[in-house]
Amino acid sequence: MQFQINRRRLLTASVALGGLGTAGTAWWLSQQADTEKVRKARHTREPHFQPRATNVIFLFMAGAPSQVDLFDHKPALVRHSGQMVSLKNESPLSTLEPTSYLWPTPYQFKRCGQSGAEISELLPHIQEIADELCIVRSMISETSNHHPGQQLFMTGVTQFGHPSIGAWLSYGLGSENEDMPGYIVLSSGQGTAAGANNWSSGFLPARHQGVPLRTTGEPIAYIHPPDGVSTRLQRETIEFITRLNSAEYDRCSDPDILDSIEAHERAFKMQLNAPELLDTSSESKAVLDAYGLNSRNEGFALNCLLARRLVESGVRFVQLNHSSWDAHTRICENHEEHCREIDRPIAALIRDLRERGMLEETLVIWGGEFGRTPTAEHRRKEDTRNTGRDHQARGFTVWMAGGGFKPGLVFGATNEIGLDVAEDPVHVHDLQATVLHCLGLDHQRFTYPHLGRDQKLTDTGGHVVSSLLS
Amino acid sequence: MVDNRLGQMWKFRLSPFVLLACLLIAASLQNFSQSFIGLPSTPVRNDTAAVNTDKNRAGTEVSLNQGASALLKVKCVRCHRGKSRSGGLALDTAAGLISGGDSGPAIDFTNPAESLILKRIADSESPMPPEGAGLTEYDIALLEEWVTSGATFPDHKHHWALQPLATASTEEGVSEIDTILAMARESRNIESRTVTPLAPRSRQILRAYIDLTGFPPTPQQLRKHLNNKKTEWYANLVDSLLKSDRFGERWAQLWLDQVRYADSDGFEKDLVRPDAWRFRKWVIDALNQNLPFDQFSLWQIAGDALPGTSLEHQVATGFLRCAPANREGGTDPEKNQFEQNIDRLDAIATVWLNISLKCARCHDHPYEPVSQVEYYELLAFFDNCENHTIMAPVRPAPDLEQRINAYRTSRKKLLQQWKLDVLIDAWESKLKYTSNHYGEDNGWDNQWLRLRIYIDNAKSILFRTRDERTIQEQDQFIGFFLRESDDVYPIDVHSEWQLPKALEAFDNLRSEFQFDQAMVVRTSEKRLRSRVRERGDFYRSAQEVAPDFPAVLTRSSRDTFLLDRRDLAGWLFEDCQCLTARVAVNRIWSVLFGRGFINDTADFGVLTPEPEMRALLDWCASELIRTGWDIKWLIRTIMISEAYRLDSTYDVTLARLDPSNQLHLRQKRVKLSGEELRDRILHVGGLLNDSGGYRSFFPPQPFGVDRLSINPNDYWQTTFGRDQWRRSLYIHRQRTSLFPFLELFGSPSGNEPCTARRQSISPLQSLAVLNDELTFESARAVAEAACSASKDDDVRLRLLWERLFCTIPTEREASLSSSFLQNQQLLLRRDPTAILAIARVPGDEEQAAWIMLARGLMNTDRFLRRE
């Protein structure tokens, strides 16, 4: 509050005194001893208690990856292979076919690292970093339709209109880098079912909306000036706008004008900084190799490297959407391809964060909105080569790394055939409560008033699963 | 006002009252940890908290009450409720708390700190609750505060918003707005001379134009009103603008936000709704014709059920069709219908009553005025809703019959030409078989299920002959066969039959005729059985219910068996009259003053305290009813008040006296929505295209936006030429990926009712206005006009200011502009390609500099606001 006023006085004083303009003001401000504090007070906020993690990288595997083929080894399926089971017992019912036969995974699993976590051969690089992972195999969602499922996973409710977890954190903790948005979204693959609802600011102010960052063309929408407008012309224009805004402020003293002035300052810096953050040419060959980026510089692998760079620069929450894992048919083809895309870069990202000493404070989350059935699905009866798996809301896998989660832990279990949760169920709300906890926020107290209620990310549920925390 | 909400969030920890309470609690609790005292601190920006503590206290109690009761619900009520209440204690009602259980009253009102409930939760040996997660120190402190501050439960019967309108009898036709405000100021010892004076005339004109039409005046219009020497010039101005057709467009935006209008389904594939626009057109017309608000509402909720229902009555039911629809594979069509009805009910509660009923879907809830059973009784009003698409020409079309016949003939020819008639016949007979033999063949089961998910009433259509089907029904079937039959006829068969080519021909034929169609609701003959659903789950049906109204919100009893949607609409304007009127007034007030009588984030439920200016709200509401729900009358009355016409300069002293400006000591500089801003940019450059029709359009948008969702079609068919410069109201609203310019400014997705736009400022907004090609295009036009009008820089500046701000530049603004122009010219002189790109003529650095100037001006705070 105090800082605020000081800053305002400084701004108006500086402009009034000699029209120093943006650059001048910034320079003058930078000479002030408490500038850093001013900035911090404005753009970051205190959490409820000492946080474990300060940043999040959310690897969102949209479309629902099959835990049966990746992280949840069910050898008993071999014994029961071909046995018909009713899927109607599964609640909520999601599937098109009321009954189907059990179908063991065609892939080999390996016990990895000290923890002995079982991971599929589809993810050979992730097998190597098993000891960094905290794997939860007993996840529960409330729905098995993609759109509401994704909304539950990202926003805490199956209905529309709520902010995603990234927006909540941008709102609750602010941004460490005032010159970049606090919440950035990178996408690869074919788009997600819930689309922009997956990074929506819901009822929170629009500036907490996730900002899509593109790796081809203009990185952020509207960040390139029109043709002919050089950086110099742009800077002078913004200074001119600021001077006029200051004059307007002198006329009508509306404090909202100061927010406009600052927005322009930050806009210009964002225009300068964004391309630099996207430019990976300064990365060593070793790093690029590790991410698998030397042959082709695009897609999920590039997004993983950018995620690290963005977090390094202070972006609070980076969301990587990769889709679609929704393999109702030809699941082998689908999952082999997607695993090839994600395996190496994810392992590289975790190692990279570890080596730079960032993993302690960066929470990496991997998972999709729900899982897939241990049974086979055939959309066309005659076509048995096209086997897929259907949606499963009870009993799917997510994992976390860093950020205060216990490394090398395998938590919870599905039943013998993997058709439901058997031990230590973890509801999506529990996961969200635990993630907030790691960021120093009590999910019960972290609220925002909307339509007469104090809304929460975890809606009316959620418990912090302390066994998952180190 | 960026961080006001955050301010509220922390507010209750900051008020001296709470701090005092904390200390008291701290003293009484042994295990009080540091964590509570060291809670989230410094509000980043909280002007209100600093200046007025009395108000904070009111807010605090509400917040506490809510938190404490919710806590009881989550942690205690599982055992302490109903007949089987543990220890005889019921904690789900106020009565239960007062009467207590076997061990006596839970709360001691004479000595609250000694209350049994507090002793039990703090008991060191066997604290309540005995199992589960238990209470945190924070929970305990919250309950302590609630008990010591009176332990009140929400009381719906006596809630202010449901009470009769408290108004003194006033002389008919005389506005009391300024009188009521003057009295309120007087009672707060605020002298009338402290009130901000009226805004300069030009600002009043600009404000009225923006609020009534969404556009600034042209220089000619401005001069006309400036030169009007009559004393009633201002009332004349307002009256003339209320007659403008742009009035309907500008205010339609507000209504469409609320009724969650969008051009797509919402869920997953988010299919485009090519006919949604017809309802938007209806709203515009209804507002322009000033259809009384009760009729306006009745048509939308029950237009299909009115005696002698007209086409426009039916089109109005498009409101009910704004519900999102889920067409994901595996969706149960009946459940989808159920969810749409839920959405309709929730929307009506939010839009007309501004209360939320959502909790009652799953359980009884102390803050909601309806019980779970009552919720399903309300839901039962929608159980005979049947979705249809009908022919709905915008203008009377005498040749319609002829065109329909021509279309039928062409379509028939097309089907024969591609041999589709035979194929579709075979496909349909197989589907008919499947509908009776479900479970025999997976492929056909899927196909049948998907048909029912994609096409409303698919079964009844399937069993009618082609001639018995409407054009739209038959089109839907053909379209589905061509696009979606790959479950049963694999892709290679599709190409063998040349289906993709046939689809193209079919789509071409349809767009050649392009009928005006509307999505409507009709009353179906068979009524579904309405049942309570346990925990809101469609699959857990319980007791049967019939349409009825909740007790708290009902004045008189009715014959239950005869109620239909007309009664539902009637109920809003009879039983709920006071609430409905208050809600309507509050929304309009909020548009015209930048803030309503209650906070934007609040609703009219029991948790919201009585507004400070309830007398004013009630006067407007009762006059709205008295005038027969005349919306234009209400807007006019507010706009000709002195309160509305005040200048919007901010003054620290006034802000201290009245932080939320409830006494209207000044007007507010209101941030324009993304739509209003884009429209203003279009208008000042003279680019606006008013003759582009009523359908939605697709302005150019940044690359890749439409690929972030999974809509399978290339729905964003960018509009080029002058049609891209149509009013923003007509921009296609795709629920899973919004037009980015509007999204950045908080434009709603249409997924749920938006009762107030979220105001915020961000650098990305600045970048959008600065760098969007549209701003540049408009700047070119404005600058060129100024440059060609005069060679004199002062004249040019005056022209620019007049066009953009309806005023003349101050000396300081003029000198800042001159030096900017000089500077830009110097820089540009060295860069001929830049000049060419900016001015589109080689070598004219002067013109280019003026364009840069105009572009700069369109980015000033002033341009982004209604002053």
Side-chain angles (χ1 to χ4, degrees):
Chain A
M1 188 63 205
Q2 200 56 40
F3 294 137
Q4 190 70 40
I5 286 169
N6 285 345
R7 179 171 158 71
R8 287 198 175 155
R9 288 205 184 124
L10 288 176
L11 264 173
T12 21
S14 74
V15 176
L17 276 172
L20 280 168
T22 321
T25 313
W27 172 82
W28 200 38
L29 276 175
S30 71
Q31 303 304 303
Q32 307 302 310
D34 61 359
T35 305
E36 266 314 293
K37 277 198 226 157
V38 173
R39 297 278 190 194
K40 273 241 146 50
R42 191 163 173 82
H43 293 291
T44 66
R45 286 168 208 123
E46 299 281 314
H48 292 129
F49 39 77
Q50 188 63 39
R52 313 276 196 103
T54 52
N55 303 75
V56 178
I57 297 175
F58 201 124
L59 308 171
F60 179 39
M61 302 293 116
S66 166
Q67 77 289 345
V68 193
D69 299 301
L70 302 179
F71 292 101
D72 195 11
H73 190 206
K74 290 289 148 192
L77 284 175
V78 178
R79 221 167 45 239
H80 298 293
S81 179
Q83 185 183 318
M84 293 301 283
V85 290
S86 168
L87 298 175
K88 284 213 162 167
N89 295 336
E90 212 226 347
S91 175
L93 178 70
S94 58
T95 44
L96 289 168
E97 299 169 26
T99 58
S100 189
Y101 64 89
L102 293 172
W103 179 44
T105 180
Y107 303 107
Q108 299 297 314
F109 275 64
K110 190 172 109 185
R111 286 195 175 277
C112 309
Q114 309 241 311
S115 69
E118 290 181 277
I119 298 175
S120 158
E121 62 180 331
L122 285 176
L123 300 167
H125 292 87
I126 291 178
Q127 284 181 341
E128 290 168 24
I129 54 146
D131 284 340
E132 296 283 12
L133 309 184
C134 173
I135 302 175
V136 181
R137 297 188 302 197
S138 50
M139 289 298 299
I140 292 181
S141 176
E142 288 172 7
T143 168
S144 47
N145 274 359
H146 291 294
H147 192 126
Q150 292 184 1
Q151 283 180 180
L152 179 74
F153 200 59
M154 301 310 294
T155 76
V157 299
T158 53
Q159 296 92 350
F160 291 108
H162 284 241
S164 76
I165 182 169
W168 273 108
L169 289 172
S170 162
Y171 163 71
L173 302 174
S175 179
E176 293 173 306
N177 179 350
E178 59 189 270
D179 303 328
M180 283 296 283
Y183 177 16
I184 283 185
V185 183
L186 291 148
S187 296
S188 50
Q190 46 168 236
T192 60
N197 296 294
N198 282 330
W199 52 93
S200 163
S201 56
F203 44 71
L204 295 175
R207 67 203 154 90
H208 299 297
Q209 183 97 6
V211 175
L213 193 70
R214 286 174 297 244
T215 49
T216 45
E218 208 179 22
I220 293 178
Y222 305 110
I223 209 166
H224 285 169
D227 285 349
V229 181
S230 65
T231 308
R232 179 81 192 273
L233 289 175
Q234 183 87 329
R235 198 183 69 209
E236 302 240 340
T237 304
I238 288 176
E239 284 180 12
F240 171 64
I241 296 166
T242 302
R243 287 192 177 106
L244 283 176
N245 283 344
S246 306
E248 178 74 357
Y249 180 68
D250 289 346
R251 182 189 71 78
C252 72
S253 343
D254 186 348
D256 288 347
I257 295 175
L258 298 171
D259 291 321
S260 272
I261 292 178
E262 188 182 322
H264 274 109
E265 258 183 73
R266 291 181 59 198
F268 184 62
K269 289 186 185 154
M270 213 176 272
Q271 181 187 319
L272 294 182
N273 287 352
E276 198 180 303
L277 277 171
L278 287 181
D279 178 12
T280 54
S281 60
S282 61
E283 298 286 341
S284 71
K285 185 172 180 306
V287 168
L288 295 173
D289 278 342
Y291 282 85
L293 276 171
N294 276 329
S295 50
R296 56 189 185 109
N297 199 1
E298 58 179 22
F300 186 80
L302 177 59
N303 290 350
C304 279
L305 177 59
L306 292 176
R308 191 216 81 213
R309 291 175 65 89
L310 290 167
V311 165
E312 222 167 13
S313 82
V315 174
R316 179 73 65 191
F317 195 100
V318 183
Q319 178 174 331
L320 267 64
N321 301 317
H322 186 66
S323 62
S324 169
W325 294 79
D326 191 21
H328 290 278
T329 57
R330 297 178 193 257
I331 191 167
C332 294
E333 206 174 293
N334 174 298
H335 276 42
E336 281 164 26
E337 184 192 337
H338 285 311
C339 287
R340 246 192 328 270
E341 284 162 347
I342 68 157
D343 176 47
R344 178 193 279 265
I346 288 180
L349 172 66
I350 305 275
R351 285 208 184 95
D352 201 4
L353 291 170
R354 167 66 72 205
E355 280 158 20
R356 285 164 197 262
M358 293 166 65
L359 192 58
E360 294 300 318
E361 292 185 344
T362 306
L363 170 56
V364 182
I365 306 169
W366 180 96
E369 64 268 34
F370 36 74
R372 308 202 80 85
T373 54
T375 56
E377 180 185 6
H378 293 288
R379 283 263 155 128
R380 267 185 290 280
K381 213 173 195 177
E382 70 276 15
D383 204 354
T384 47
R385 287 165 304 135
N386 286 347
T387 314
R389 294 189 191 274
D390 214 329
H391 301 171
Q392 171 158 308
R394 296 179 59 87
F396 64 102
T397 300
V398 303
W399 59 253
M400 275 63 64
F405 276 82
K406 208 178 266 176
L409 178 73
V410 177
F411 186 80
T414 49
N415 64 18
E416 194 192 15
I417 54 168
L419 199 57
D420 199 347
V421 173
E423 279 169 37
D424 300 319
V426 179
H427 189 280
V428 170
H429 287 149
D430 301 331
L431 175 67
Q432 288 161 342
T434 314
V435 168
L436 288 186
H437 181 86
C438 287
L439 283 128
L441 294 163
D442 175 350
H443 73 107
Q444 302 257 31
R445 279 188 275 162
F446 186 36
T447 64
Y448 188 86
H450 172 63
L451 293 181
R453 278 183 71 202
D454 282 347
Q455 310 281 350
K456 291 183 272 192
L457 170 64
T458 50
D459 199 20
T460 56
H463 293 286
V464 175
V465 188
S466 39
S467 342
L468 298 179
L469 303 176
S470 57
Chain B
M1 295 287 96
V2 179
D3 272 308
N4 253 1
R5 284 162 195 177
L6 187 75
Q8 277 151 16
M9 178 177 158
W10 305 136
K11 197 185 280 175
F12 100 64
R13 272 135 213 160
L14 280 171
S15 88
F17 163 74
V18 177
L19 287 179
L20 184 66
C22 292
L23 290 174
L24 285 173
I25 296 159
S28 70
L29 275 174
Q30 284 191 332
N31 290 332
F32 199 76
S33 78
Q34 283 292 317
S35 67
F36 185 63
I37 293 181
L39 266 180
S41 44
T42 10
V44 176
R45 176 154 175 202
N46 193 345
D47 298 335
T48 43
V51 277
N52 190 323
T53 47
D54 282 356
K55 279 234 213 55
N56 295 341
R57 207 183 135 177
T60 304
E61 277 164 5
V62 167
S63 174
L64 268 178
N65 189 335
Q66 177 171 18
S69 307
L71 240 178
L72 288 178
K73 200 184 107 233
V74 175
K75 305 262 167 123
C76 314
V77 162
R78 193 165 296 167
C79 305
H80 293 290
R81 76 177 297 176
K83 284 190 185 133
S84 56
R85 60 188 85 149
S86 172
L89 176 65
L91 290 175
D92 51 346
T93 60
L97 270 165
I98 295 164
S99 61
D102 302 343
S103 324
I107 291 174
D108 182 343
F109 282 94
T110 46
N111 196 356
E114 293 298 305
S115 294
L116 190 57
I117 188 171
L118 298 185
K119 288 186 183 153
R120 293 295 287 118
I121 59 173
D123 193 318
S124 53
E125 279 171 21
S126 61
M128 276 289 166
E131 48 199 43
L135 297 180
T136 63
E137 283 138 2
Y138 174 82
D139 295 341
I140 293 174
L142 193 66
L143 281 174
E144 293 243 16
E145 276 198 61
W146 174 62
V147 170
T148 47
S149 68
T152 50
F153 259 98
D155 176 0
H156 294 280
K157 269 246 138 39
H158 298 100
H159 179 49
W160 66 270
L162 305 180
Q163 299 310 302
L165 298 165
T167 50
S169 59
T170 57
E171 202 181 319
E172 210 164 288
V174 178
S175 169
E176 293 281 311
I177 294 175
D178 293 317
T179 324
I180 295 173
L181 281 171
M183 276 160 53
R185 289 171 195 146
E186 204 178 322
S187 73
R188 293 270 301 271
N189 292 324
I190 296 172
E191 290 178 43
S192 56
R193 65 185 163 83
T194 43
V195 179
T196 314
L198 291 189
R201 193 156 167 171
S202 59
R203 195 165 296 140
Q204 288 187 49
I205 296 170
L206 176 58
R207 186 185 291 163
Y209 260 89
I210 289 186
D211 278 348
L212 286 175
T213 68
F215 297 109
T218 61
Q220 295 76 14
Q221 289 165 333
L222 174 68
R223 275 177 231 143
K224 189 183 107 192
H225 295 291
L226 281 174
N227 297 331
N228 185 346
K229 298 278 183 278
K230 291 185 198 147
T231 44
E232 63 275 21
W233 69 272
Y234 179 76
N236 290 349
L237 164 71
V238 172
D239 288 335
S240 69
L241 295 177
L242 279 166
K243 286 187 202 121
S244 155
D245 278 351
R246 286 175 173 171
F247 169 83
E249 292 181 320
R250 188 259 180 277
W251 286 80
Q253 185 75 69
L254 181 77
W255 189 253
L256 295 171
D257 275 10
Q258 292 184 55
V259 300
R260 76 242 181 277
Y261 173 88
D263 293 287
S264 69
D265 270 344
F267 284 102
E268 208 229 3
K269 282 178 279 293
D270 196 19
L271 298 181
V272 169
R273 296 176 166 178
D275 304 316
W277 64 273
R278 188 61 182 81
F279 170 66
R280 176 176 60 204
K281 167 75 171 117
W282 178 85
V283 173
I284 297 167
D285 290 344
L287 290 168
N288 275 335
Q289 291 154 15
N290 201 22
L291 189 64
F293 188 53
D294 54 348
Q295 292 301 305
F296 180 69
S297 308
L298 173 67
W299 293 22
Q300 293 180 65
I301 295 170
D304 58 310
L306 297 178
T309 173
S310 71
L311 177 62
E312 292 303 302
H313 285 140
Q314 293 182 58
V315 174
T317 62
F319 157 69
L320 297 168
R321 295 299 305 279
C322 288
N326 194 347
R327 307 197 191 278
E328 180 178 341
T331 305
D332 177 340
E334 274 79 37
K335 181 167 184 282
N336 183 24
Q337 189 65 31
F338 170 78
E339 294 292 346
Q340 287 190 27
N341 288 339
I342 291 264
D343 184 79
R344 288 161 179 162
L345 174 59
D346 289 345
I348 287 176
T350 305
V351 174
W352 276 273
L353 305 176
N354 200 2
I355 49 175
S356 165
L357 302 181
K358 282 185 175 171
C359 300
R361 170 181 176 170
C362 305
H363 50 78
D364 293 344
H365 194 285
Y367 307 125
E368 296 195 352
V370 307
S371 69
Q372 194 189 6
V373 171
E374 287 172 328
Y375 181 87
Y376 286 94
E377 286 172 345
L378 281 170
L379 191 68
F381 281 99
F382 303 96
D383 277 348
N384 59 0
C385 285
E386 206 171 80
N387 296 345
H388 288 274
T389 301
I390 59 168
M391 203 61 90
V394 167
R395 284 179 209 85
D399 64 337
L400 183 64
E401 205 54 38
Q402 224 175 316
R403 285 186 63 222
I404 290 177
N405 287 335
Y407 177 69
R408 278 189 194 275
T409 316
S410 314
R411 187 174 68 186
K412 201 170 182 180
K413 224 181 275 171
L414 184 142
L415 292 179
Q416 283 166 353
Q417 184 191 340
W418 296 92
K419 300 195 172 54
L420 292 176
D421 43 355
V422 189
L423 294 174
I424 291 178
D425 275 347
W427 173 70
E428 286 192 3
S429 33
K430 191 76 206 253
L431 281 173
K432 283 178 192 163
Y433 178 85
T434 307
S435 74
N436 293 319
H437 300 83
Y438 193 75
E440 273 185 17
D441 182 330
N442 271 338
W444 283 94
D445 286 351
N446 270 341
Q447 178 77 151
W448 171 232
L449 186 59
R450 283 179 58 218
L451 184 81
R452 289 171 60 221
I453 294 168
Y454 272 66
I455 302 177
D456 294 313
N457 322 311
K459 188 164 186 178
S460 102
I461 300 171
L462 179 65
F463 283 93
R464 274 184 270 137
T465 66
R466 274 188 210 161
D467 292 338
E468 288 168 338
R469 297 176 191 169
T470 66
I471 282 202
Q472 291 77 20
E473 288 168 344
Q474 183 61 12
D475 276 356
Q476 282 180 314
F477 263 59
I478 299 171
F480 186 90
F481 172 77
L482 291 170
R483 284 197 175 84
E484 308 289 343
S485 62
D486 56 335
D487 282 341
V488 286
Y489 307 127
I491 297 296
D492 37 344
V493 178
H494 267 229
S495 39
E496 188 187 319
W497 292 347
Q498 297 190 297
L499 296 193
K501 279 186 188 163
L503 176 63
E504 205 184 317
F506 177 62
D507 282 345
N508 286 342
L509 179 69
R510 271 163 49 102
S511 49
E512 186 188 316
F513 278 81
Q514 203 177 53
F515 291 109
D516 294 347
Q517 303 182 140
M519 299 166 73
V520 301
V521 156
R522 277 191 189 155
T523 309
S524 82
E525 282 161 21
K526 59 172 196 289
R527 180 167 213 134
L528 295 170
R529 282 196 173 177
S530 314
R531 290 179 179 281
V532 173
R533 313 282 168 161
E534 280 173 32
R535 299 182 62 188
D537 184 347
F538 175 70
Y539 296 107
R540 296 169 67 177
S541 48
Q543 76 197 75
E544 203 171 324
V545 288
D548 204 355
F549 302 112
V552 173
L553 297 170
T554 308
R555 276 203 216 144
S556 52
S557 63
R558 291 176 174 80
D559 183 349
T560 318
F561 296 103
L562 297 171
L563 296 181
D564 65 20
R565 275 184 278 122
R566 283 173 297 183
D567 301 292
L568 181 66
W571 170 72
L572 295 172
F573 289 84
E574 290 156 23
D575 300 61
C576 303
Q577 190 184 63
C578 302
L579 180 57
T580 304
R582 283 184 178 115
V583 169
V585 168
N586 186 58
R587 297 246 163 85
I588 289 170
W589 197 273
S590 170
V591 171
L592 297 175
F593 292 98
R595 190 192 188 281
F597 292 89
I598 61 167
N599 209 317
D600 273 356
T601 59
D603 64 3
F604 275 62
V606 281
L607 294 170
T608 302
E610 184 174 327
E612 198 176 339
M613 290 309 299
R614 177 176 162 193
L616 186 53
L617 172 64
D618 280 7
W619 181 82
C620 293
S622 59
E623 288 299 292
L624 178 64
I625 297 168
R626 193 181 59 75
T627 57
W629 302 92
D630 186 336
I631 293 293
K632 280 193 182 179
W633 177 89
L634 178 64
I635 293 173
R636 180 185 191 276
T637 305
I638 296 173
M639 284 185 63
I640 59 173
S641 74
E642 205 178 275
Y644 176 81
R645 298 171 66 187
L646 297 180
D647 206 354
S648 51
T649 45
Y650 184 94
D651 182 296
V652 179
T653 327
L654 296 188
R656 288 229 171 91
L657 282 171
D658 183 22
S660 52
N661 201 26
Q662 286 294 288
L663 297 172
H664 293 272
L665 305 179
R666 59 186 167 91
Q667 248 288 11
K668 189 171 162 20
R669 296 170 76 254
V670 184
K671 195 159 173 285
L672 299 182
S673 68
E675 286 87 345
E676 289 164 329
L677 179 58
R678 182 180 170 279
D679 290 348
R680 189 173 184 170
I681 293 171
L682 281 172
H683 187 269
V684 295
L687 303 177
L688 183 74
N689 175 2
D690 253 345
S691 54
Y694 305 105
R695 287 171 193 265
S696 300
F697 75 108
F698 304 84
Q701 66 176 354
F703 168 79
V705 172
D706 50 343
R707 296 181 191 188
L708 295 176
S709 60
I710 61 169
N711 185 303
N713 309 312
D714 286 332
Y715 65 90
W716 198 271
Q717 297 291 333
T718 306
T719 312
F720 294 104
R722 275 183 39 74
D723 276 350
Q724 64 178 291
W725 294 332
R726 287 171 60 201
R727 197 174 182 156
S728 308
L729 176 72
Y730 298 105
I731 291 177
H732 177 89
R733 190 186 264 173
Q734 184 79 17
R735 283 175 157 137
T736 52
S737 66
L738 294 173
F739 180 55
F741 187 92
L742 299 183
E743 185 181 32
L744 287 175
F745 283 85
S747 180
S749 62
N751 286 325
E752 52 156 28
C754 168
T755 55
R757 289 285 177 104
R758 302 161 294 160
Q759 295 227 348
S760 76
I761 291 181
S762 78
L764 291 164
Q765 290 173 3
S766 310
L767 286 170
V769 189
L770 200 56
N771 294 337
D772 190 20
E773 195 49 51
L774 185 70
T775 315
F776 220 33
E777 199 63 45
S778 176
R780 273 191 199 108
V782 180
E784 278 164 21
C787 290
S788 59
S790 171
K791 292 237 177 301
D792 182 338
D793 279 5
D794 286 344
V795 178
R796 287 176 175 182
L797 281 180
R798 274 210 299 279
L799 287 172
L800 274 190
W801 248 259
E802 187 180 46
R803 196 75 188 85
L804 299 178
F805 307 119
C806 294
T807 181
I808 49 167
T810 62
E811 230 169 88
R812 184 166 158 202
E813 286 166 340
S815 89
L816 285 171
S817 303
S818 301
S819 43
F820 176 71
L821 282 168
Q822 277 172 19
N823 232 332
Q824 294 278 304
Q825 282 199 48
L826 269 175
L827 291 170
L828 284 163
R829 201 165 292 156
R830 293 183 226 136
D831 190 350
T833 48
I835 296 174
L836 187 61
I838 294 168
R840 293 198 178 138
V841 275
D844 195 344
E845 73 257 17
E846 193 188 2
Q847 176 120 328
W850 279 92
I851 294 169
M852 292 297 286
L853 178 76
R855 171 175 175 259
L857 295 178
M858 287 183 198
N859 281 277
T860 55
D861 188 69
R862 193 175 200 180
F863 194 80
L864 311 181
R865 287 177 197 274
R866 183 220 71 174
E867 288 188 283

